[in-house]
Amino acid sequence: MENVVELKNVTKNFKGFSVKNINMQVKQGFITGFIGANGAGKSTTIKMMMNLLRPDAGEVKLFGLDYRTHEKEIKERIGFVYDGNVFFEGLNLKDIKRIVGPAYKKWDDTLFYKYVAQFQLPLNKPIKTFSKGMQMKASLAIALSHDAELIIMDEPTAGLDPIFRRELLDLLQEIMLDGRRTIFFSTHITTDLDRIADYIAFLQNGELIFNQSIDDVANNYALVKGELGLLDRDTEKAFVDIHRAPTGFEALTDNVKAVKKTFGESVVIERASLEDIMYYMKGRESYV
Amino acid sequence: MFNLIRRDVILQKRLLLTFIPFILFFIIMDSHPALIFLVASIFIPFNAYAYDEKTEVNILLNSLPYTRKEIIAARYLGAIIYSLASIGVASAALLAFSKPFALSDIAIGGGLFFLFAALTFPLFYILKQGYIFSAVLISFLVLAAIGPQIVLYMSDHLPAITEFLMNLSTTALYTGGAVIIGVLYAVSWGVTTVVYQRKAF
């Protein structure tokens, strides 16, 4: 299986914040969801993938190529959608197309107008009059009109209403059908990912906690509920973080097998949602 | 690359409508032709920066298949192309109003524009956003106010320089000026490229 994006020991330091030693691969032909709390370093990582930021150390490769020598070739093959509007807000979509289109060798006007019609976007109104959802659709129409192999999106669903979010997710699935495309997108709305993601990369405080297939995540992580009396120094080791209440404990484990072996039938094991995982992982920090 | 240069016209197409009245104003006010050529040249390249001041624009440009070198090259080449075109339009306007002007006016106006561009373009990438436009505007006004005084002071107190300049033939004077401005423009281009390549967005 080929990796479209490869980060090797990537580190970037800012004042009071850093992204540390990230090793991550994004596999071709799949949707990878990139999750993490606000400020975890998702946007920084995406900016390094887009060469908007250069890592202090480590290597960033896209399609096996290096930005130093193949910047244009790489960007030719990427479609991007950012959180905010990056297009000149006073311009209408037609003029934006006039500026962005010629930048790509493979730009396809017919395809662009097809998406514009599908998304019901006005061509002659300035972008700044667009709603958040329309701006997103406009970015997406542009990102999809030059036959990009990799679509990178930073928080595309933030600020969108649930109906539009669902439409977007359906659309993403649709454009994945030919099997050539790869989508990498960051979000903190984890329910989006339960629906469409094949892989989940989880970033916390600038560190990559895991990058696994959604099945592996479901198999490895679980919520465990039981009576307080079951917990002692040894049995606690099976858990990432434990929440205690007078009625019993609830904990996250990253090793379901071990929990089953230790506790047997005395605890209830439930599937952990991505939100559960993020929540309990956050609790873990306060322990350390 | 050509697209990057063409972008300025698309962005400024409404503003361009004010270009002719803008020049006409100076012509009707009977300004010196060299000044008219200077302000005409400044119009498009500096307005372009007003649009590019926002970070998002740099995020967009750098996400498209352009290298940072090309983005800066488009600025410097674009300034040359647009100033030449503007000088053409201004000449036509002057002719239409049968105002006389000499080639030396074009040389002085154009020369001053390139000198000004060479000195200020790097600032757009070094200074913080939001301050740049006012910084450039203020420096332009200050230069316009103090510049002549400095020249007059020099001519009074440093006769050696004045004499040297007076003794040069007109051709030598203009060629020398052109070479100096050309070198400054090239250095400015190089500096801006280095600055821009180190930027994070």
Side-chain angles (χ1 to χ4, degrees), chain A residues 75-81 87 93 96-98 100-119 121 123 136-151 171 175 180-181, chain B residues 64-65:
Chain A
K75 286 180 177 165
E76 195 77 53
R77 294 159 75 177
I78 300 178
F80 55 88
V81 175
F87 302 108
L93 204 49
I96 288 171
K97 188 216 77 168
R98 276 194 198 127
V100 173
Y104 293 103
K105 283 187 198 126
K106 286 193 185 167
W107 181 266
D108 184 344
D109 260 358
T110 333
L111 196 59
F112 175 73
Y113 285 118
K114 192 204 101 178
Y115 282 118
V116 167
Q118 186 183 338
F119 298 160
L121 293 169
L123 279 167
M136 226 293 299
K137 283 180 181 173
S139 306
L140 196 62
I142 288 169
L144 294 176
S145 298
H146 59 95
D147 197 26
E149 292 159 56
L150 169 65
I151 314 273
L171 180 83
I175 62 171
R180 256 175 6 96
R181 280 217 175 91
Chain B
L64 293 172

Side-chain angles (χ1 to χ4, degrees), chain A residues 51 72 75 82 95 98, chain B residues 6 13 62-63 68 70:
Chain A
N51 202 30
K72 292 176 85 163
K75 286 180 177 165
Y82 294 120
D95 283 334
R98 276 194 198 127
Chain B
R6 202 181 65 130
K13 62 181 178 189
N62 282 285
S63 299
R68 295 188 181 198
E70 285 176 325

